[in-house]
Amino acid sequence: MGEIRVGLVGYGFMGRAHSNAYRQVPFYFPELESKPVLKVLCERREEALKAAAAVMAWEDTETDFDALIARDDIDLIDIVTPNNVHVEMAIKAAQAGKHVLCEKPLAMNLAEAKQALAAVEAAGVVHMVCHNYRRAPAVALAKQMLEEGLLGTIYHWRSQYLQDWMIDPEKPAVWRVQKATAGSGALGDLLAHSADLALWLVGDIERVCCDMETFVKERPPLGDIDAMLGAGAGAGEKLKVDVDDCVVALARFANGAVGTLEATRFAPGHRNYNFFEINGSKGSIRFKFERMNELEYYNVEDPVGRQGFRTIQVTEDVHPFLGLPDGGGRYWPPGHIIGYEHTFINTVADLMVGIQKGESPAPTFADAVKTQAVLEACEGSAYAGGWEEVESFQS
Ligand code: SOE
């Protein structure tokens, strides 16, 4: 069994999700030719870093990113930092000959995303962006059903990504609400997921018409993190929120489909409601992450009087990511559901295969550039008003 030695940069929420995935992949994907090794955890704050590395069983730690990528015992750099350093780190890692996994969104803007793509292609390294929802088995099943033509001609894409964690105006100005560290708010954090799925499941988006709003215009600073990221305010002052709290967009797809995309952090009652529905000439499918082991399907050819959305329980060995090559359940027997963490395990497993073969698994940096182009067009439309063309790229 080969080894792919990982250097992970950042250790918060996504650091835990990625560390767990590297730990679990050999257990649930025994057929892999290469397994991940949790080699080095990298962060600037040494004390917290050591504690996190010990808990998550990383072999070593680094506080300096340049030292990390100079190491000859690292094959893959995984970036789970705030967005403002994604591209700088990805370029340096690629130039050091390391494969790169980067959390979404790839970049702060389209120009940066193009720079990251150019660097990984020039370096000839494997590259991937962690849009984990593609590898929820129910979403991957939706892709299979679309490829089988079960929905016929596609007429509509409809997505909502609703959260409510910023509804309290006294919640401090975390990095995700600062343009300097996040690039955008709900747009790059949540609509990026929906746009990636729309591009993958329906196809290229030609133009958008978008509106965005910031409901809470200023928030208390966050203290040490805030100071560290250089966005601090004076004692007692509030910090201006310079990113969107919500975004709503119309979209026109190159294949003629008409879409709507909505993302907000101000929808009380929705903690992580990642939803999409696709309507076609032969039927519809819809997915919502809160019931991630199910896919709803409507078939227009069902007999009149017996039609309705059926709920497919996506827990069978025949479903994507759930069956072992030689038969049997990859995770559990049918009917035993899986969770958010399994979407990262599935993502890392495909990355291990990609690195083994020297092929970048989707979504690659090239896919992420197309997503970034949609986000950029949304911002342009919201600023100028009216429809905005989405820059197109050869797939
Ligand atoms: C936002 O809070 C967030 O953590 C996103 O950044 C993740 O991509 C999403 O999976 C869960 O919510």
Side-chain angles (χ1 to χ4, degrees):
M1 165 83 74
E3 292 188 342
I4 295 170
R5 300 159 299 178
V6 184
L8 175 66
V9 190
Y11 65 82
F13 170 20
M14 282 299 122
R16 293 200 312 279
H18 287 226
S19 298
N20 177 67
Y22 292 122
R23 178 72 58 215
Q24 301 285 350
V25 150
F27 199 78
Y28 294 109
F29 288 80
E31 75 274 18
L32 291 185
E33 292 179 32
S34 298
K35 70 170 189 175
V37 173
L38 285 77
K39 200 75 184 177
V40 180
L41 184 63
C42 179
E43 238 287 343
R44 283 184 287 194
R45 290 158 292 174
E46 183 154 20
E47 192 175 329
L49 169 65
K50 294 283 188 192
V55 166
M56 295 192 282
W58 284 85
E59 290 181 13
D60 198 357
T61 60
E62 283 282 358
T63 56
D64 178 81
F65 178 73
D66 291 331
L68 173 68
I69 56 176
R71 289 174 67 132
D72 60 8
D73 62 349
I74 294 292
D75 306 303
L76 165 65
I77 292 293
D78 181 358
I79 303 163
V80 297
T81 62
N83 302 342
N84 60 309
V85 291
H86 281 187
V87 166
E88 169 194 345
M89 288 186 169
I91 291 172
K92 283 185 171 182
Q95 290 171 344
K98 311 301 186 186
H99 305 300
V100 186
L101 173 65
C102 186
E103 256 300 321
K104 43 52 62 180
L106 172 59
M108 298 282 275
N109 53 55
L110 179 56
E112 259 202 1
K114 290 178 181 176
Q115 291 165 2
L117 175 59
V120 292
E121 289 184 333
V125 297
V126 170
H127 47 93
M128 185 182 193
V129 174
C130 186
H131 277 291
N132 60 297
Y133 294 110
R134 285 194 183 204
R135 289 175 170 82
V139 175
L141 175 62
K143 178 65 175 176
Q144 284 181 353
M145 293 170 70
L146 284 159
E147 286 179 334
E148 292 163 16
L150 286 183
L151 265 60
T153 303
I154 304 302
Y155 296 131
H156 286 292
W157 164 269
R158 189 171 301 106
S159 61
Q160 296 173 315
Y161 201 146
L162 314 176
Q163 295 182 342
D164 61 3
W165 60 289
M166 291 307 286
I167 199 74
D168 176 0
E170 290 308 309
K171 183 174 177 66
V174 293
W175 71 264
R176 288 193 191 284
V177 297
Q178 294 289 294
K179 191 168 186 65
T181 44
S184 64
L187 178 73
D189 188 26
L190 303 178
L191 197 127
H193 278 302
S194 304
D196 171 70
L197 291 177
L199 292 169
W200 184 51
L201 294 171
V202 175
D204 288 350
I205 293 174
E206 283 186 330
R207 60 187 185 279
V208 294
C209 186
C210 181
D211 191 14
M212 300 164 81
E213 182 56 81
T214 304
F215 297 117
V216 174
K217 310 272 189 222
E218 55 180 23
R219 291 182 177 274
L222 189 61
D224 68 326
I225 298 251
D226 199 28
M228 182 189 82
L229 295 175
E237 289 177 24
K238 288 215 171 178
L239 211 55
K240 181 177 182 296
V241 174
D242 53 0
V243 296
D244 55 291
D245 288 328
C246 78
V247 48
V248 291
L250 304 174
R252 279 282 183 163
F253 291 80
N255 62 11
V258 175
T260 57
L261 301 92
E262 178 187 4
T264 184
R265 293 162 167 164
F266 282 70
H270 293 289
R271 309 300 272 168
N272 192 42
Y273 183 85
N274 182 359
F275 165 86
F276 67 81
E277 177 170 328
I278 301 172
N279 307 127
S281 57
K282 292 184 179 176
S284 299
I285 49 176
R286 64 187 181 203
F287 169 82
K288 60 181 173 184
F289 180 66
E290 292 169 343
R291 301 186 71 86
M292 71 168 277
N293 294 272
E294 298 173 357
L295 185 68
E296 292 186 279
Y297 169 46
Y298 184 97
N299 181 351
V300 300
E301 290 167 359
D302 283 346
V304 175
R306 297 289 183 276
Q307 292 178 322
F309 271 98
R310 70 185 76 160
T311 300
I312 303 169
Q313 191 178 51
V314 188
T315 60
E316 301 296 329
D317 301 354
V318 297
H319 288 136
F321 300 105
L322 298 183
L324 288 167
D326 299 334
R330 178 173 296 286
Y331 291 106
W332 322 123
H336 296 65
I337 60 175
I338 63 171
Y340 181 65
E341 70 276 24
H342 297 88
T343 67
F344 291 92
I345 298 170
N346 296 339
T347 298
V348 164
D350 280 356
L351 177 58
M352 294 301 108
V353 172
I355 291 173
Q356 180 69 34
K357 293 181 177 176
E359 297 168 7
S360 297
T364 68
F365 278 27
D367 297 317
V369 163
K370 293 174 71 173
T371 298
Q372 211 77 45
V374 172
L375 304 183
E376 191 113 331
C378 283
E379 281 191 309
S381 168
Y383 180 77
W387 287 88
E388 184 95 359
E389 295 298 312
V390 177
E391 189 172 335
S392 61
F393 301 89
Q394 288 307 318
S395 304

